Coordinates of all heavy atoms in Angstrom, one line a residue:
Y178 N 95.8 100.0 99.5 CA 96.3 101.4 99.6 C 97.6 101.7 98.9 O 97.7 102.7 98.2 CB 96.4 101.8 101.1 CG 97.2 103.1 101.2 CD1 96.5 104.4 101.0 CD2 98.5 103.2 101.6 CE1 97.3 105.6 101.0 CE2 99.2 104.4 101.7 CZ 98.6 105.5 101.4 OH 99.3 106.7 101.5
A179 N 98.5 100.9 99.0 CA 99.9 101.1 98.4 C 99.7 101.2 96.9 O 100.3 102.1 96.3 CB 100.8 100.0 98.7
D180 N 98.9 100.4 96.3 CA 98.6 100.5 94.9 C 97.9 101.8 94.5 O 98.2 102.4 93.4 CB 97.8 99.3 94.4 CG 98.6 98.0 94.4 OD1 99.8 98.0 94.4 OD2 97.9 96.9 94.5
R181 N 97.0 102.2 95.3 CA 96.3 103.4 95.1 C 97.2 104.6 95.2 O 97.2 105.6 94.4 CB 95.1 103.6 96.0 CG 94.0 102.6 95.7 CD 92.7 103.0 96.5 NE 92.9 102.9 97.9 CZ 92.7 101.7 98.6 NH1 92.4 100.6 98.0 NH2 92.8 101.8 99.9
H182 N 98.2 104.6 96.1 CA 99.1 105.7 96.3 C 100.1 105.7 95.1 O 100.4 106.7 94.6 CB 99.9 105.6 97.6 CG 100.7 106.8 97.9 ND1 102.0 107.1 97.4 CD2 100.3 107.9 98.6 CE1 102.4 108.2 97.8 NE2 101.4 108.8 98.5
N183 N 100.5 104.5 94.6 CA 101.3 104.4 93.4 C 100.6 105.0 92.2 O 101.2 105.7 91.4 CB 101.7 103.0 93.2 CG 102.8 102.5 94.1 OD1 103.5 103.3 94.7 ND2 102.9 101.2 94.2
E184 N 99.3 104.9 92.1 CA 98.5 105.4 91.0 C 98.4 106.9 91.2 O 98.5 107.7 90.2 CB 97.1 104.8 91.0 CG 96.3 105.3 89.8 CD 97.0 105.0 88.5 OE1 97.7 103.9 88.4 OE2 96.8 105.7 87.5
F185 N 98.4 107.5 92.4 CA 98.4 108.9 92.7 C 99.7 109.5 92.1 O 99.7 110.5 91.4 CB 98.3 109.1 94.2 CG 98.7 110.5 94.6 CD1 97.9 111.6 94.4 CD2 99.9 110.6 95.3 CE1 98.3 112.8 94.9 CE2 100.3 111.9 95.7 CZ 99.5 113.0 95.5
V186 N 100.8 108.8 92.4 CA 102.1 109.3 91.9 C 102.3 109.1 90.4 O 102.7 110.0 89.7 CB 103.3 108.5 92.6 CG1 104.6 108.8 92.0 CG2 103.3 108.8 94.1
R187 N 101.8 108.0 89.9 CA 101.9 107.7 88.4 C 101.1 108.7 87.7 O 101.5 109.2 86.6 CB 101.3 106.3 88.1 CG 101.4 105.9 86.7 CD 101.0 104.5 86.4 NE 101.9 103.5 87.1 CZ 101.6 102.8 88.2 NH1 100.4 103.0 88.8 NH2 102.5 102.0 88.7
H188 N 99.9 109.1 88.1 CA 99.1 110.0 87.5 C 99.9 111.4 87.3 O 99.9 112.0 86.2 CB 97.8 110.3 88.2 CG 96.9 111.3 87.6 ND1 95.8 111.0 86.8 CD2 96.9 112.7 87.7 CE1 95.3 112.0 86.4 NE2 95.9 113.1 86.9
Y189 N 100.5 111.8 88.3 CA 101.2 113.1 88.3 C 102.5 112.9 87.4 O 102.9 113.9 86.7 CB 101.5 113.7 89.6 CG 101.6 115.1 89.6 CD1 100.4 115.9 89.5 CD2 102.8 115.9 89.7 CE1 100.4 117.3 89.4 CE2 102.8 117.2 89.6 CZ 101.6 117.9 89.5 OH 101.6 119.2 89.4
A190 N 103.2 111.8 87.5 CA 104.3 111.6 86.7 C 104.0 111.6 85.2 O 104.8 112.2 84.4 CB 105.0 110.2 87.1
L191 N 102.9 111.0 84.8 CA 102.5 111.1 83.4 C 102.1 112.5 83.0 O 102.4 112.9 81.9 CB 101.3 110.1 83.2 CG 101.6 108.6 83.3 CD1 100.3 107.8 83.3 CD2 102.4 108.2 82.1
K192 N 101.5 113.3 83.9 CA 101.2 114.6 83.5 C 102.4 115.4 83.3 O 102.5 116.2 82.3 CB 100.4 115.3 84.7 CG 100.2 116.8 84.6 CD 99.9 117.5 85.9 CE 98.5 117.3 86.4 NZ 97.6 118.2 85.7
L193 N 103.4 115.2 84.1 CA 104.7 116.0 83.9 C 105.5 115.6 82.8 O 106.2 116.4 82.1 CB 105.5 115.9 85.2 CG 105.0 116.7 86.4 CD1 105.8 116.3 87.7 CD2 105.1 118.2 86.2
G194 N 105.5 114.3 82.5 CA 106.4 113.7 81.4 C 107.9 114.1 81.7 O 108.3 113.9 82.8
K195 N 108.5 114.5 80.7 CA 109.9 114.8 80.8 C 110.2 116.1 81.6 O 111.4 116.4 81.9 CB 110.5 115.0 79.4 CG 110.6 113.7 78.6 CD 111.5 112.6 79.3 CE 111.6 111.3 78.5 NZ 112.3 111.4 77.3
L196 N 109.1 116.8 82.0 CA 109.4 118.0 82.9 C 109.7 117.5 84.3 O 110.3 118.3 85.1 CB 108.1 118.8 82.9 CG 107.7 119.6 81.7 CD1 106.4 120.3 81.8 CD2 108.8 120.5 81.2
G197 N 109.4 116.3 84.7 CA 109.6 115.7 86.0 C 110.9 114.9 86.0 O 111.0 113.8 85.4
N198 N 112.0 115.5 86.5 CA 113.3 114.8 86.5 C 113.5 114.0 87.7 O 114.5 113.2 87.7 CB 114.4 115.9 86.4 CG 114.3 116.7 85.2 OD1 113.9 117.9 85.2 ND2 114.6 116.1 84.0
G199 N 112.7 114.1 88.7 CA 112.9 113.3 89.9 C 111.9 113.4 90.9 O 111.0 114.3 90.8
W200 N 112.0 112.6 92.0 CA 111.1 112.6 93.1 C 111.9 112.5 94.4 O 112.9 111.9 94.5 CB 110.1 111.4 93.0 CG 109.1 111.5 91.9 CD1 109.4 111.3 90.6 CD2 107.8 111.9 91.9 NE1 108.3 111.5 89.8 CE2 107.3 111.9 90.6 CE3 106.9 112.3 93.0 CZ2 106.0 112.3 90.3 CZ3 105.6 112.6 92.7 CH2 105.1 112.6 91.4
W201 N 111.3 113.2 95.4 CA 111.9 113.2 96.8 C 110.8 112.9 97.8 O 109.9 113.7 98.0 CB 112.6 114.5 97.1 CG 113.6 114.6 98.2 CD1 115.0 114.7 98.1 CD2 113.3 114.7 99.6 NE1 115.5 114.8 99.3 CE2 114.6 114.8 100.2 CE3 112.1 114.7 100.4 CZ2 114.7 114.9 101.7 CZ3 112.2 114.8 101.7 CH2 113.5 114.9 102.4
F202 N 110.8 111.7 98.4 CA 109.7 111.3 99.3 C 110.2 111.5 100.8 O 111.3 111.1 101.1 CB 109.3 109.8 99.1 CG 108.6 109.6 97.8 CD1 109.3 109.3 96.7 CD2 107.3 109.8 97.7 CE1 108.6 109.1 95.5 CE2 106.6 109.6 96.5 CZ 107.3 109.3 95.4
D203 N 109.3 112.1 101.6 CA 109.7 112.4 103.0 C 109.0 111.4 104.0 O 108.0 110.8 103.7 CB 109.2 113.8 103.3 CG 109.9 114.4 104.5 OD1 110.8 113.8 105.1 OD2 109.5 115.6 104.8
S204 N 109.7 111.3 105.1 CA 109.1 110.5 106.3 C 108.8 109.1 105.9 O 107.7 108.6 106.2 CB 107.9 111.2 106.8 OG 108.3 112.5 107.2
C205 N 109.7 108.4 105.2 CA 109.4 107.0 104.8 C 109.8 106.0 105.9 O 110.6 106.3 106.7 CB 110.2 106.8 103.5 SG 109.8 107.8 102.1
G206 N 109.2 104.9 105.7 CA 109.5 103.7 106.7 C 110.0 102.6 105.9 O 110.1 102.6 104.6
R207 N 110.5 101.6 106.6 CA 111.2 100.4 105.9 C 110.1 99.6 105.2 O 109.0 99.4 105.6 CB 111.9 99.5 107.0 CG 113.1 100.2 107.6 CD 113.8 99.3 108.5 NE 114.9 100.0 109.2 CZ 116.0 100.3 108.6 NH1 116.3 100.0 107.3 NH2 117.0 100.9 109.2
Q208 N 110.6 99.0 104.0 CA 109.7 98.0 103.3 C 110.8 97.2 102.4 O 111.9 97.6 102.3 CB 108.7 98.7 102.5 CG 109.2 99.8 101.5 CD 108.0 100.5 100.8 OE1 106.8 100.2 101.1 NE2 108.3 101.4 99.9
D209 N 110.2 96.2 101.8 CA 111.1 95.4 101.0 C 111.3 96.0 99.6 O 110.6 96.9 99.2 CB 110.6 94.0 100.9 CG 109.3 93.9 100.1 OD1 109.0 94.6 99.2 OD2 108.4 93.0 100.5
D210 N 112.4 95.5 98.9 CA 112.8 96.1 97.6 C 111.7 96.0 96.6 O 111.6 96.9 95.8 CB 114.1 95.3 97.1 CG 115.3 95.7 97.9 OD1 115.2 96.6 98.8 OD2 116.4 95.2 97.6
A211 N 110.8 95.0 96.6 CA 109.8 94.9 95.7 C 108.8 96.0 95.8 O 108.3 96.6 94.8 CB 109.0 93.5 95.8
A212 N 108.5 96.4 97.0 CA 107.6 97.6 97.3 C 108.3 98.8 96.9 O 107.6 99.7 96.3 CB 107.2 97.6 98.7
W213 N 109.6 99.0 97.2 CA 110.3 100.2 96.7 C 110.2 100.3 95.2 O 110.1 101.4 94.7 CB 111.7 100.1 97.2 CG 112.1 100.3 98.6 CD1 112.8 99.4 99.4 CD2 111.7 101.4 99.5 NE1 112.9 99.9 100.7 CE2 112.2 101.1 100.8 CE3 111.0 102.6 99.3 CZ2 112.1 102.0 101.8 CZ3 110.8 103.5 100.4 CH2 111.3 103.2 101.6
Q214 N 110.4 99.2 94.5 CA 110.5 99.1 93.1 C 109.2 99.6 92.5 O 109.2 100.3 91.5 CB 110.9 97.8 92.6 CG 111.2 97.7 91.1 CD 112.4 98.6 90.7 OE1 113.5 98.4 91.2 NE2 112.2 99.6 89.9
K215 N 108.1 99.1 93.0 CA 106.7 99.5 92.6 C 106.6 101.1 92.6 O 106.1 101.7 91.7 CB 105.6 98.9 93.3 CG 105.5 97.4 93.0 CD 104.3 96.8 93.7 CE 104.2 95.3 93.4 NZ 103.0 94.7 94.1
E216 N 107.1 101.7 93.7 CA 107.0 103.1 93.9 C 107.9 103.8 92.8 O 107.5 104.8 92.2 CB 107.4 103.5 95.3 CG 106.4 103.1 96.3 CD 106.7 103.9 97.7 OE1 106.7 105.2 97.6 OE2 106.9 103.2 98.7
M217 N 109.1 103.3 92.6 CA 110.0 103.9 91.6 C 109.5 103.8 90.2 O 109.6 104.7 89.4 CB 111.3 103.3 91.8 CG 112.0 103.5 93.1 SD 113.5 102.6 93.4 CE 114.7 103.6 92.5
D218 N 108.8 102.6 89.9 CA 108.2 102.5 88.6 C 107.1 103.5 88.4 O 107.0 104.1 87.3 CB 107.6 101.1 88.5 CG 108.7 100.0 88.4 OD1 109.9 100.3 88.1 OD2 108.4 98.8 88.6
A219 N 106.3 103.8 89.4 CA 105.2 104.8 89.3 C 105.9 106.2 89.0 O 105.4 106.9 88.2 CB 104.4 104.8 90.6
C220 N 106.9 106.5 89.7 CA 107.6 107.8 89.5 C 108.1 107.9 88.1 O 108.2 109.1 87.6 CB 108.8 107.9 90.5 SG 108.3 108.0 92.3
R221 N 108.5 106.9 87.4 CA 109.1 106.9 86.1 C 108.1 106.7 85.0 O 108.5 106.6 83.9 CB 110.2 105.8 86.1 CG 111.4 106.0 87.0 CD 112.6 105.2 86.6 NE 113.6 105.3 87.7 CZ 113.9 104.3 88.5 NH1 113.3 103.2 88.5 NH2 114.9 104.5 89.4
A222 N 106.9 106.7 85.3 CA 105.8 106.5 84.3 C 105.9 107.5 83.2 O 105.6 107.2 82.0 CB 104.4 106.5 84.9
G223 N 106.2 108.8 83.5 CA 106.3 109.8 82.5 C 107.7 110.1 82.0 O 107.8 110.8 80.9
N224 N 108.7 109.6 82.7 CA 110.1 109.9 82.3 C 110.9 108.7 82.9 O 111.2 108.7 84.1 CB 110.5 111.2 82.9 CG 112.0 111.5 82.5 OD1 112.7 110.7 81.8 ND2 112.5 112.6 83.0

């Protein structure tokens, strides 16, 4: 699931490109830095 959700984010990040300057995720829970980094990498796919 986590990889599929990252793909959901990555898809939209690529669509936006440089129009997307950032992301704000709500209601998050704890996880390790490697998992956080994968999410951040997906967010930066287009910028």
Side-chain angles (χ1 to χ4, degrees):
Y178 166 75
D180 290 336
R181 292 191 295 275
H182 193 273
N183 285 340
E184 186 57 31
F185 163 76
V186 171
R187 181 178 293 105
H188 179 96
Y189 211 72
L191 288 169
K192 173 201 282 280
L193 287 170
K195 292 298 182 70
L196 295 177
N198 301 107
W200 292 78
W201 198 104
F202 290 93
D203 201 0
S204 302
C205 299
R207 295 187 181 280
Q208 55 185 2
D209 61 35
D210 284 0
W213 290 126
Q214 189 63 57
K215 286 183 179 179
E216 290 196 57
M217 296 172 81
D218 290 344
C220 293
R221 298 194 184 108
N224 180 1

